[in-house]
């Protein structure tokens, strides 16, 4: 296996940022690997998936590439007041990676995104913003930020939310997942295949159910939902779901 | 330009290794420069001690920096196969991972001190691989170094002095041996650029090898300039090298600049 720390200059962010690249050992010359993009959760970074799951072993065993971007606390979106992580992870970084690595396929059918918690929302957001780039998305413990309760009580958390998404109802903005999903239906474009999962003991299970119900009611989307009753908002759940998702897309 | 720190399992060395890579963020097809450090250093030396990254900015060149672990980039008499690692595995890996040009004309190798020896040694033995080899203050005469090891025990690397020629570790030996063979069949298309600072105590190694290679009909240049066996000098060397490879012939306010520009023409 090869684990690489990639430090790139981002035009979208206007600064340098790190990203982890994991590649299997025996790649043939001119081979084009399938690629999974893995998004971290709140307080995480580009190393989260590396240290908390057997990702490196999966990459070695099933011969695919994994890219772990960093979005700081930006939820992988263009912040209302702040950095443009959405453009970075959805547009700029994929171009950089596909140009830089001759062993990674740039074809839509070979690229999938997955993530958990903030990154679960984030990967759905990217997949619905850039449906032409990614064939599928695996969102774990992923609520829609438009559905989260937001008391503007001057707390640190409230300030962070304002910076990220702004005030008011997000359902009719590009931060709202159903807004983006509706838009793709209206545009009649090819949609990402959605795999969604939540732990039965996740404190935000109800928010996940809102997302689930939307997609179950919109059969324009190929949608699969998975729930593991005994697990919560934790790595044992995301680790298991990573494996299930890799199986779901036929990598494992 | 992006900076990669790579960790992978080397088969040639049978251990995990690290390397640093500077690579443009463009459309690919980059030239490659394998850049080797000296004794006591590792894959981080060029990045932490010179402005190599700054000079590489905006150029169409990937700079690949492996670790030499004081093993002189040769297949060791009593140890691991660093030459195989450098000239086979590393090239294969980098050209599989990254969008690099795999033409000989786009592949370069260079280094300072022990890395200068490693670069010349590699390019002499694999002239099919590298278009140009650069040696800065190279430790080019290992017999002389062997006689005065200055704390660096090279016997695991080269064995006893009388064993040198069995593996063609000694560059002078190797050049002579090649001359004795049918000289016309020796590939001498690779260019060698040997530089050294005038204040360097071992400058004689560079001038001596230059003369030997010239007599043997290699495409070799010798460039001397103000400088010691230190990073002030090697910093100017890598600056000139990157300008030379990128073919921009940019004017550099430097004593050696005129010599380098001549070479660029």
């Amino acid at each position: 296996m090869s684990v690489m720390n990639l430090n790139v200059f981002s035009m979208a962010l206007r600064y340098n940022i790190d990203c982890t690249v994991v590649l299997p050992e025996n790649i043939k010359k001119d081979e084009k690997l399938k690629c999974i993009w893995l998004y971290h959760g709140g307080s995480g970074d580009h190393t989260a998936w590396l240290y908390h799951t057997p990702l490196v072993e999966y990459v070695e065993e099933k011969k695919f590439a994994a890219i772990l971007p960093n979005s700081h606390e930006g939820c992988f979106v263009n912040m209302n007041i702040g950095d443009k992580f959405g453009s970075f992870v959805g547009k700029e970084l994929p171009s950089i990676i596909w140009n830089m690595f001759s062993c990674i396929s740039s074809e839509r059918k070979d690229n999938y995104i997955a993530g958990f918690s903030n990154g679960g929302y984030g990967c759905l957001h990217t997949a619905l913003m850039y449906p032409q780039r990614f064939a599928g998305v695996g969102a774990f413990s992923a609520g829609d930020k438009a559905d989260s309760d937001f008391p503007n009580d001057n707390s640190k958390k409230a300030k962070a939310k304002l910076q990220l998404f702004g005030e008011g109802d997000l359902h009719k903005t590009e931060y709202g997942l159903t807004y983006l999903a509706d838009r793709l239906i209206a545009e009649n474009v090819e949609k990402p295949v959605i795999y969604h999962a939540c732990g039965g003991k996740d404190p935000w299970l109800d928010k996940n159910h809102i997302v689930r119900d939307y997609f179950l009611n919109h059969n324009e989307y190929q949608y699969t939902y998975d729930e593991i009753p005994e697990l919560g908002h934790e790595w044992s759940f995301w680790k298991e779901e990573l494996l299930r998702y890799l199986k779901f897309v036929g990598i494992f | 330009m992006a900076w990669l720190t790579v960790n992978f399992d080397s088969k040639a060395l049978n251990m995990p290794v690290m390397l640093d890579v500077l690579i443009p963020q463009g459309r690919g097809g980059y030239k490659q420069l394998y850049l080797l450090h000296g004794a006591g250093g590792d894959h981080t030396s060029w990045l932490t001690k010179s402005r190599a990254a700054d000079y590489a900015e905006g150029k169409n060149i990937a700079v690949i920096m492996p670790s030499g672990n004081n093993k002189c980039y040769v297949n060791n008499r009593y140890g691991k196969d660093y030459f195989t690692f450098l000239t086979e595995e590393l090239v294969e890996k980098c050209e599989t991972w990254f969008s690099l040009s795999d033409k000989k004309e786009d592949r370069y190798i260079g280094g300072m001190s022990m890395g200068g020896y490693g670069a010349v040694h590699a390019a002499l033995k694999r002239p099919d691989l590298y278009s140009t080899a650069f040696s800065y203050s190279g430790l080019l005469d290992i017999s002389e170094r062997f006689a005065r090891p200055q704390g660096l025990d090279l016997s695991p690397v080269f064995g006893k002095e009388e064993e040198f020629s069995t593996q063609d570790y000694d560059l002078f030996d190797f050049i002579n041996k090649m001359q004795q063979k049918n000289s016309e069949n020796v590939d001498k298309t690779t260019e060698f650029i040997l530089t050294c600072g005038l204040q360097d105590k071992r400058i004689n190694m560079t001038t001596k090898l230059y003369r030997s290679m010239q007599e043997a009909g290699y495409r070799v240049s010798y460039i001397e300039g103000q400088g010691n066996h230190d990073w002030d000098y090697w910093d100017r060397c890598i600056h000139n090298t990157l300008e030379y490879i990128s073919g921009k012939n940019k004017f550099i306010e430097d004593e050696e600049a005129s010599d380098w520009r001549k070479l660029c023409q």
Side-chain angles (χ1 to χ4, degrees), chain B residues 34-45:
Chain B
Y34 292 87
L35 188 58
L36 312 179
H37 64 82
D42 70 0
H43 60 100
T44 66
S45 297

mmCIF file with all atom_site columns, all heavy atoms in Angstrom, chain B residues 34-45:
data_model
loop_
_atom_site.group_PDB
_atom_site.id
_atom_site.type_symbol
_atom_site.label_atom_id
_atom_site.label_alt_id
_atom_site.label_comp_id
_atom_site.label_asym_id
_atom_site.label_entity_id
_atom_site.label_seq_id
_atom_site.pdbx_PDB_ins_code
_atom_site.Cartn_x
_atom_site.Cartn_y
_atom_site.Cartn_z
_atom_site.occupancy
_atom_site.B_iso_or_equiv
_atom_site.pdbx_formal_charge
_atom_site.auth_seq_id
_atom_site.auth_comp_id
_atom_site.auth_asym_id
_atom_site.auth_atom_id
_atom_site.pdbx_PDB_model_num
ATOM 1  N N   . TYR B 1 34 ? 14.945 13.299 -10.166 1.00 0.00 ? 34 TYR B N   1
ATOM 2  C CA  . TYR B 1 34 ? 15.211 12.543 -8.940  1.00 0.00 ? 34 TYR B CA  1
ATOM 3  C C   . TYR B 1 34 ? 16.332 13.278 -8.219  1.00 0.00 ? 34 TYR B C   1
ATOM 4  O O   . TYR B 1 34 ? 17.416 13.447 -8.771  1.00 0.00 ? 34 TYR B O   1
ATOM 5  C CB  . TYR B 1 34 ? 15.591 11.103 -9.274  1.00 0.00 ? 34 TYR B CB  1
ATOM 6  C CG  . TYR B 1 34 ? 14.400 10.365 -9.850  1.00 0.00 ? 34 TYR B CG  1
ATOM 7  C CD1 . TYR B 1 34 ? 14.119 10.418 -11.217 1.00 0.00 ? 34 TYR B CD1 1
ATOM 8  C CD2 . TYR B 1 34 ? 13.511 9.691  -9.023  1.00 0.00 ? 34 TYR B CD2 1
ATOM 9  C CE1 . TYR B 1 34 ? 12.986 9.792  -11.739 1.00 0.00 ? 34 TYR B CE1 1
ATOM 10 C CE2 . TYR B 1 34 ? 12.385 9.067  -9.532  1.00 0.00 ? 34 TYR B CE2 1
ATOM 11 C CZ  . TYR B 1 34 ? 12.121 9.121  -10.886 1.00 0.00 ? 34 TYR B CZ  1
ATOM 12 O OH  . TYR B 1 34 ? 11.002 8.514  -11.393 1.00 0.00 ? 34 TYR B OH  1
ATOM 13 N N   . LEU B 1 35 ? 16.047 13.749 -7.013  1.00 0.00 ? 35 LEU B N   1
ATOM 14 C CA  . LEU B 1 35 ? 16.974 14.636 -6.316  1.00 0.00 ? 35 LEU B CA  1
ATOM 15 C C   . LEU B 1 35 ? 17.444 13.968 -5.022  1.00 0.00 ? 35 LEU B C   1
ATOM 16 O O   . LEU B 1 35 ? 16.643 13.690 -4.124  1.00 0.00 ? 35 LEU B O   1
ATOM 17 C CB  . LEU B 1 35 ? 16.266 15.969 -6.027  1.00 0.00 ? 35 LEU B CB  1
ATOM 18 C CG  . LEU B 1 35 ? 17.113 17.094 -5.472  1.00 0.00 ? 35 LEU B CG  1
ATOM 19 C CD1 . LEU B 1 35 ? 18.283 17.442 -6.386  1.00 0.00 ? 35 LEU B CD1 1
ATOM 20 C CD2 . LEU B 1 35 ? 16.245 18.332 -5.229  1.00 0.00 ? 35 LEU B CD2 1
ATOM 21 N N   . LEU B 1 36 ? 18.754 13.698 -4.971  1.00 0.00 ? 36 LEU B N   1
ATOM 22 C CA  . LEU B 1 36 ? 19.303 12.879 -3.886  1.00 0.00 ? 36 LEU B CA  1
ATOM 23 C C   . LEU B 1 36 ? 20.056 13.737 -2.867  1.00 0.00 ? 36 LEU B C   1
ATOM 24 O O   . LEU B 1 36 ? 20.801 14.645 -3.229  1.00 0.00 ? 36 LEU B O   1
ATOM 25 C CB  . LEU B 1 36 ? 20.250 11.825 -4.472  1.00 0.00 ? 36 LEU B CB  1
ATOM 26 C CG  . LEU B 1 36 ? 19.715 11.032 -5.691  1.00 0.00 ? 36 LEU B CG  1
ATOM 27 C CD1 . LEU B 1 36 ? 20.776 10.031 -6.169  1.00 0.00 ? 36 LEU B CD1 1
ATOM 28 C CD2 . LEU B 1 36 ? 18.418 10.318 -5.353  1.00 0.00 ? 36 LEU B CD2 1
ATOM 29 N N   . HIS B 1 37 ? 19.892 13.407 -1.602  1.00 0.00 ? 37 HIS B N   1
ATOM 30 C CA  . HIS B 1 37 ? 20.542 14.151 -0.519  1.00 0.00 ? 37 HIS B CA  1
ATOM 31 C C   . HIS B 1 37 ? 21.908 13.540 -0.201  1.00 0.00 ? 37 HIS B C   1
ATOM 32 O O   . HIS B 1 37 ? 22.297 12.517 -0.758  1.00 0.00 ? 37 HIS B O   1
ATOM 33 C CB  . HIS B 1 37 ? 19.647 14.128 0.716   1.00 0.00 ? 37 HIS B CB  1
ATOM 34 C CG  . HIS B 1 37 ? 19.457 12.739 1.254   1.00 0.00 ? 37 HIS B CG  1
ATOM 35 N ND1 . HIS B 1 37 ? 20.367 12.115 2.065   1.00 0.00 ? 37 HIS B ND1 1
ATOM 36 C CD2 . HIS B 1 37 ? 18.478 11.830 1.045   1.00 0.00 ? 37 HIS B CD2 1
ATOM 37 C CE1 . HIS B 1 37 ? 19.947 10.895 2.354   1.00 0.00 ? 37 HIS B CE1 1
ATOM 38 N NE2 . HIS B 1 37 ? 18.801 10.689 1.739   1.00 0.00 ? 37 HIS B NE2 1
ATOM 39 N N   . GLY B 1 38 ? 22.623 14.136 0.729   1.00 0.00 ? 38 GLY B N   1
ATOM 40 C CA  . GLY B 1 38 ? 23.944 13.661 1.106   1.00 0.00 ? 38 GLY B CA  1
ATOM 41 C C   . GLY B 1 38 ? 23.933 12.834 2.384   1.00 0.00 ? 38 GLY B C   1
ATOM 42 O O   . GLY B 1 38 ? 22.873 12.545 2.946   1.00 0.00 ? 38 GLY B O   1
ATOM 43 N N   . ALA B 1 39 ? 25.138 12.467 2.836   1.00 0.00 ? 39 ALA B N   1
ATOM 44 C CA  . ALA B 1 39 ? 25.255 11.672 4.061   1.00 0.00 ? 39 ALA B CA  1
ATOM 45 C C   . ALA B 1 39 ? 24.666 12.441 5.231   1.00 0.00 ? 39 ALA B C   1
ATOM 46 O O   . ALA B 1 39 ? 24.808 13.658 5.326   1.00 0.00 ? 39 ALA B O   1
ATOM 47 C CB  . ALA B 1 39 ? 26.712 11.328 4.315   1.00 0.00 ? 39 ALA B CB  1
ATOM 48 N N   . GLY B 1 40 ? 23.985 11.723 6.085   1.00 0.00 ? 40 GLY B N   1
ATOM 49 C CA  . GLY B 1 40 ? 23.393 12.356 7.259   1.00 0.00 ? 40 GLY B CA  1
ATOM 50 C C   . GLY B 1 40 ? 22.008 12.931 7.013   1.00 0.00 ? 40 GLY B C   1
ATOM 51 O O   . GLY B 1 40 ? 21.327 13.328 7.957   1.00 0.00 ? 40 GLY B O   1
ATOM 52 N N   . GLY B 1 41 ? 21.572 12.967 5.757   1.00 0.00 ? 41 GLY B N   1
ATOM 53 C CA  . GLY B 1 41 ? 20.264 13.550 5.469   1.00 0.00 ? 41 GLY B CA  1
ATOM 54 C C   . GLY B 1 41 ? 19.207 12.496 5.191   1.00 0.00 ? 41 GLY B C   1
ATOM 55 O O   . GLY B 1 41 ? 19.431 11.300 5.374   1.00 0.00 ? 41 GLY B O   1
ATOM 56 N N   . ASP B 1 42 ? 18.062 12.960 4.741   1.00 0.00 ? 42 ASP B N   1
ATOM 57 C CA  . ASP B 1 42 ? 17.012 12.029 4.310   1.00 0.00 ? 42 ASP B CA  1
ATOM 58 C C   . ASP B 1 42 ? 16.108 12.725 3.279   1.00 0.00 ? 42 ASP B C   1
ATOM 59 O O   . ASP B 1 42 ? 16.486 13.767 2.733   1.00 0.00 ? 42 ASP B O   1
ATOM 60 C CB  . ASP B 1 42 ? 16.223 11.483 5.503   1.00 0.00 ? 42 ASP B CB  1
ATOM 61 C CG  . ASP B 1 42 ? 15.340 12.535 6.169   1.00 0.00 ? 42 ASP B CG  1
ATOM 62 O OD1 . ASP B 1 42 ? 15.336 13.704 5.710   1.00 0.00 ? 42 ASP B OD1 1
ATOM 63 O OD2 . ASP B 1 42 ? 14.649 12.202 7.143   1.00 0.00 ? 42 ASP B OD2 1
ATOM 64 N N   . HIS B 1 43 ? 14.929 12.151 3.044   1.00 0.00 ? 43 HIS B N   1
ATOM 65 C CA  . HIS B 1 43 ? 14.038 12.686 2.003   1.00 0.00 ? 43 HIS B CA  1
ATOM 66 C C   . HIS B 1 43 ? 13.589 14.124 2.251   1.00 0.00 ? 43 HIS B C   1
ATOM 67 O O   . HIS B 1 43 ? 13.065 14.778 1.361   1.00 0.00 ? 43 HIS B O   1
ATOM 68 C CB  . HIS B 1 43 ? 12.814 11.769 1.847   1.00 0.00 ? 43 HIS B CB  1
ATOM 69 C CG  . HIS B 1 43 ? 12.006 11.634 3.113   1.00 0.00 ? 43 HIS B CG  1
ATOM 70 N ND1 . HIS B 1 43 ? 10.859 12.344 3.333   1.00 0.00 ? 43 HIS B ND1 1
ATOM 71 C CD2 . HIS B 1 43 ? 12.189 10.893 4.219   1.00 0.00 ? 43 HIS B CD2 1
ATOM 72 C CE1 . HIS B 1 43 ? 10.371 12.029 4.530   1.00 0.00 ? 43 HIS B CE1 1
ATOM 73 N NE2 . HIS B 1 43 ? 11.169 11.143 5.084   1.00 0.00 ? 43 HIS B NE2 1
ATOM 74 N N   . THR B 1 44 ? 13.794 14.609 3.464   1.00 0.00 ? 44 THR B N   1
ATOM 75 C CA  . THR B 1 44 ? 13.362 15.976 3.785   1.00 0.00 ? 44 THR B CA  1
ATOM 76 C C   . THR B 1 44 ? 14.460 17.014 3.568   1.00 0.00 ? 44 THR B C   1
ATOM 77 O O   . THR B 1 44 ? 14.189 18.219 3.606   1.00 0.00 ? 44 THR B O   1
ATOM 78 C CB  . THR B 1 44 ? 12.903 16.090 5.256   1.00 0.00 ? 44 THR B CB  1
ATOM 79 O OG1 . THR B 1 44 ? 14.039 15.874 6.107   1.00 0.00 ? 44 THR B OG1 1
ATOM 80 C CG2 . THR B 1 44 ? 11.832 15.060 5.598   1.00 0.00 ? 44 THR B CG2 1
ATOM 81 N N   . SER B 1 45 ? 15.702 16.567 3.355   1.00 0.00 ? 45 SER B N   1
ATOM 82 C CA  . SER B 1 45 ? 16.846 17.494 3.363   1.00 0.00 ? 45 SER B CA  1
ATOM 83 C C   . SER B 1 45 ? 16.699 18.647 2.379   1.00 0.00 ? 45 SER B C   1
ATOM 84 O O   . SER B 1 45 ? 16.872 19.811 2.732   1.00 0.00 ? 45 SER B O   1
ATOM 85 C CB  . SER B 1 45 ? 18.140 16.744 3.053   1.00 0.00 ? 45 SER B CB  1
ATOM 86 O OG  . SER B 1 45 ? 18.397 15.798 4.059   1.00 0.00 ? 45 SER B OG  1
#
